[in-house]
């Protein structure tokens, strides 16, 4: 028995009506994978938001108390330690897998106070290092759960 004949009894099924029905399961699987956040490794799909908590390696005054955010877009990268007011900015190089952001402020003696963030993809995560003259910390960044659609679409 032809399963397509159940859809329209009394009508002969044609290849024209079968094609969309055969493609429907494949399209459904692709859409389901999109909404469930099925993404490839970070190297293949770096764009979107990545979060993680910095862990101090040495020094003091490291922003290690709450989550930090890295946002990667085709032409820019930002890193926000502890989701605060300071934002490090840079340009990603997907080809060489080099993700660098920095911010240079002035300290109380009018000397440069550099803040630097470097990251590279490792599997489904990014491994990063944050540094200032007073602090060195590392972080493992993951995609936020429940944000698959935003990560796919990019900026809000």
């Amino acid at each position: 028995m032809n399963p397509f004949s159940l859809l329209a009894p009394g009508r002969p099924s044609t290849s024209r009506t079968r094609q969309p029905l055969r493609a429907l399961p494949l399209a459904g699987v692709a859409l389901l994978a999109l909404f469930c956040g099925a993404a490839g490794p970070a190297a293949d799909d770096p764009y979107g938001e990545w979060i993680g908590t910095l862990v101090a390696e040495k020094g003091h005054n490291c922003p290690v108390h709450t989550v930090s955010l890295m946002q990667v877009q085709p032409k820019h990268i930002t890193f926000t330690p502890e989701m605060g007011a300071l934002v490090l900015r840079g340009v990603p190089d997907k080809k060489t897998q080099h993700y660098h952001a920095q911010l240079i402020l002035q300290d109380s003696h009018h000397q440069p106070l550099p803040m630097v963030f470097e990251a590279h993809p490792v599997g489904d995560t990014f491994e990063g290092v944050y540094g200032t003259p007073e602090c060195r910390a590392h972080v493992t960044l993951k995609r936020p759960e429940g944000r698959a659609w935003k990560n796919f679409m990019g900026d809000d």
Side-chain angles (χ1 to χ4, degrees):
M1 173 179 224
N2 183 349
F4 298 105
S5 65
L6 297 175
L7 297 175
R11 282 188 165 171
S13 61
T14 64
S15 62
R16 187 175 179 194
T17 59
R18 284 187 212 156
Q19 292 299 347
L21 292 176
R22 285 185 191 162
L24 184 62
L26 293 177
V29 169
L31 215 79
L32 183 61
L34 171 69
F35 283 112
C36 291
D44 297 334
D45 183 20
Y47 305 121
E49 294 183 343
W50 301 84
I51 59 172
T53 303
L54 289 162
V55 177
E57 292 179 2
K58 65 181 183 177
H60 58 284
N61 292 331
C62 292
V64 296
H65 302 292
T66 59
V67 172
S68 295
L69 171 70
M70 178 178 74
Q71 294 177 306
V72 180
Q73 297 302 321
K75 296 186 181 188
H76 70 272
I77 176 177
T78 61
F79 180 74
T80 309
E82 285 194 313
M83 306 281 263
L86 299 176
V87 179
L88 289 67
R89 299 181 187 282
V91 177
D93 189 345
K94 184 180 175 187
K95 187 187 313 181
T96 63
Q97 301 299 309
H98 183 74
Y99 297 86
H100 170 92
Q102 68 182 26
L103 174 64
I104 300 177
L105 301 175
Q106 284 187 357
D107 67 12
S108 60
H109 302 292
H110 303 287
Q111 297 298 314
L113 176 63
M115 299 175 190
V116 178
F117 177 74
E118 299 275 341
H120 63 278
V122 176
D124 290 335
T125 66
F126 273 89
E127 294 295 323
V129 176
Y130 170 80
T132 70
E134 298 180 335
C135 163
R136 179 179 168 89
H138 68 271
V139 63
T140 299
L141 299 156
K142 300 177 182 178
R143 290 199 189 271
E145 291 185 27
R147 304 285 304 251
W149 182 250
K150 181 174 175 152
N151 282 319
F152 174 74
M153 294 302 289
D155 284 340
D156 286 329

